[in-house]
Amino acid sequence: MQWELTKLSNEHANVIRATLPLVGEHIEEITKLFYKTMFSNHPDLIKNLFNRGNQKQGAQQKALAASVATFASMLVNDDAPLPESMLSRIGHKHATVGVTEDQYQIVHDNLFAAIVQVLGADVVTKDVAEAWDRVFWIMGRLLIKFEKDLYAEAGVEPGKVFRQVKVVACDTLAEGVTHFTIESTEASKPLPGHKPGQYISVRAHLPDGAGQLRQYSLTDAGKQSHGRLTFAVQAVKAHDQLPAGEVSNWLLENVKQGSELEISLPFGDLVLDEQSNSPVVLISAGIGATPMISMLSRLALDKSEREVVVFHADSSAAADAFASQTKHLASQLPNCRFHTWYAQGESNETTTVGDRLDLTKETLPSNAQYYLCGSTAFLQACSKDLESLSVPASHTHYELFTPNEWLLK
């Protein structure tokens, strides 16, 4: 998919350059007010579309602020590259929850009302409003086009991504981690395959009437699945004054074999490049192993001869939900090695206990593609390691648990 960027006029660019520092200074205040106003005007959005947990933590507000600021800065800097990875990540997230073109107008109207309220009508003059309106719709139209292409590729009308499924198996992988196998409730409409590394949205119909959505990475190879998909859910416990995960805990407490669920079609841009023969390095922590298992499963299914390295960090062997599956899949590949890092336990030839995963101390293949998934702190450390090793940014691909991409920059 090609990004066709529309440039700002010189007049609008000058206005953005002049006002970007002021908007940046107040961007978090603006986005907080924006979401508060939008949810007041459209309560169904926070009930059935937006992640209430991320809203409580402020993650979504900061993600929006970072996205707008990044895009505006790029538009007024001729040397800045188009943030394609950021736009792609947003577009796939939008597709998996069924965002449609008309909802961009809702965002626009409430966002600009917040900008005027925070900065004041004397600051947001007609010229300023026009320039920032232009920024919004350049970014918005890029995403609308991208998302329409994703829907077309999936063979559905825009936003029509949800399917009713039944759970055919529930398997406990570790304490607080359950693996679900699902299939369509309509035999004539089997679930599609997917690219290794993609995810689905799962809608939980909670006791308060909300239909909250969460994304879960698919763990199967993505083909020859006979219309079945698999995903794993880890219970999110309350910690550091943050609430427990309402969807993850609801799923683990209520969903059994035979239960029905509402899910989206698969989307996501952290996918294995199957056209390449370059080495693959899969790096994960905790439940971040899920997209890596999908990639490893596809490599094993295809009997790939590529060099594959699998690194995983976890609290202990008992908590490592995919330890046995990783070992099994790695044994099926002729050129694969794996190593784990645990906080507790005993070290052996494939396990290190006590030390963190430090990529600068590891032997890594040249010209490899790196795929990472884990907590923000884990990704920050790994990104720093790869940067110090002069790994090109184009060779590094990652998935995040929450909308915290701004923390990696």
Side-chain angles (χ1 to χ4, degrees):
M1 298 180 187
Q2 297 296 316
W3 299 98
E4 297 179 3
L5 179 66
T6 302
K7 292 289 187 179
L8 288 172
S9 67
N10 289 334
E11 292 78 8
H12 286 159
N14 288 334
V15 171
I16 297 301
R17 289 190 188 97
T19 56
L20 185 56
L22 180 63
V23 173
E25 181 182 346
H26 294 88
I27 192 69
E28 287 193 39
E29 184 182 356
I30 290 169
T31 53
K32 286 180 181 178
L33 179 59
F34 152 68
Y35 278 113
K36 180 180 179 181
T37 304
M38 183 173 67
F39 294 148
S40 176
N41 293 332
H42 303 274
D44 57 307
L45 293 179
I46 187 62
K47 181 180 179 181
N48 298 316
L49 182 64
F50 283 84
N51 185 316
R52 296 193 296 199
N54 286 339
Q55 286 294 320
K56 291 177 182 178
Q57 298 173 34
Q60 190 68 57
Q61 293 92 323
K62 292 177 181 177
L64 174 63
S67 299
V68 172
T70 296
F71 192 79
S73 299
M74 180 278 304
L75 282 178
V76 297
N77 183 350
D78 293 336
D79 296 326
L82 179 68
E84 292 187 19
S85 62
M86 180 189 80
L87 293 170
S88 176
R89 196 176 309 279
I90 294 171
H92 278 275
K93 292 290 186 186
H94 284 181
T96 196
V97 297
V99 167
T100 51
E101 182 175 357
D102 59 297
Q103 291 171 323
Y104 278 85
Q105 188 67 52
I106 295 173
V107 171
H108 169 276
D109 295 347
N110 287 276
L111 178 59
F112 275 74
I115 291 173
V116 173
Q117 187 171 338
V118 171
L119 299 183
D122 57 327
V123 173
V124 188
T125 62
K126 179 181 178 182
D127 290 343
V128 170
E130 285 182 353
W132 279 98
D133 183 84
R134 184 66 170 155
V135 169
F136 177 90
W137 283 114
I138 290 175
M139 183 175 177
R141 289 191 180 104
L142 281 174
L143 288 170
I144 290 168
K145 169 66 165 58
F146 182 74
E147 290 154 21
K148 283 184 176 179
D149 288 345
L150 289 179
Y151 292 137
E153 186 179 323
V156 298
E157 296 179 25
K160 305 295 184 181
V161 297
F162 291 99
R163 299 289 182 271
Q164 198 71 16
V165 300
K166 60 182 177 182
V167 177
V168 296
C170 300
D171 300 297
T172 300
L173 301 184
E175 184 179 357
V177 179
T178 297
H179 200 233
F180 296 98
T181 302
I182 56 176
E183 66 182 17
S184 174
T185 56
E186 298 182 65
S188 61
K189 296 181 180 179
L191 297 177
H194 61 89
K195 299 173 183 177
Q198 290 191 308
Y199 52 79
I200 56 172
S201 284
V202 178
R203 190 187 300 277
H205 295 280
L206 302 175
D208 66 356
Q212 282 284 285
L213 294 166
R214 296 294 184 273
Q215 287 75 52
Y216 295 102
S217 295
L218 295 163
T219 56
D220 53 274
K223 63 180 182 180
Q224 296 185 0
S225 58
H226 306 292
R228 292 184 172 183
L229 299 175
T230 60
F231 65 97
V233 177
Q234 181 179 52
V236 178
K237 300 177 181 179
H239 67 286
D240 297 333
Q241 299 182 332
L242 297 177
E246 57 179 351
V247 172
S248 64
N249 284 283
W250 182 88
L251 288 170
L252 297 191
E253 292 168 6
N254 293 278
V255 177
K256 311 296 181 185
Q257 184 175 346
S259 298
E260 291 194 6
L261 287 173
E262 189 179 3
I263 70 155
S264 76
L265 298 175
F267 293 98
D269 62 347
L270 181 78
V271 295
L272 180 69
D273 182 357
E274 297 182 82
Q275 305 305 314
S276 172
N277 290 318
S278 62
V280 176
V281 181
L282 307 177
I283 304 170
S284 59
I287 200 63
T290 49
M292 308 308 163
I293 286 296
S294 177
M295 295 183 197
L296 197 58
S297 296
R298 177 66 71 88
L299 290 164
L301 181 65
D302 292 342
K303 297 180 171 54
S304 175
E305 296 184 357
R306 297 167 71 175
E307 182 177 2
V308 180
V309 178
V310 184
F311 290 154
H312 181 71
D314 224 312
S315 58
S316 66
D320 189 352
F322 292 95
S324 60
Q325 189 174 355
T326 299
K327 183 177 181 180
H328 172 69
L329 291 169
S331 69
Q332 296 181 338
L333 291 165
N335 197 13
C336 179
R337 61 185 172 95
F338 72 95
H339 199 90
T340 54
W341 283 258
Y342 295 143
Q344 303 173 354
E346 296 183 2
S347 297
N348 56 49
E349 61 181 14
T350 60
T351 303
T352 297
V353 173
D355 294 334
R356 81 166 183 90
L357 166 56
D358 185 344
L359 296 174
T360 65
K361 296 179 180 179
E362 300 303 314
T363 301
L364 300 170
S366 59
N367 198 36
Q369 293 291 325
Y370 293 81
Y371 299 88
L372 301 91
C373 186
S375 67
T376 300
F378 177 77
L379 292 180
Q380 284 175 323
C382 290
S383 297
K384 184 177 179 180
D385 289 348
L386 293 175
E387 185 177 353
S388 69
L389 292 169
S390 299
V391 173
S394 60
H395 287 208
T396 304
H397 320 276
Y398 53 86
E399 188 63 81
L400 297 154
F401 290 154
T402 55
N404 285 348
E405 183 173 358
W406 57 278
L407 282 173
L408 302 180
K409 305 302 181 184

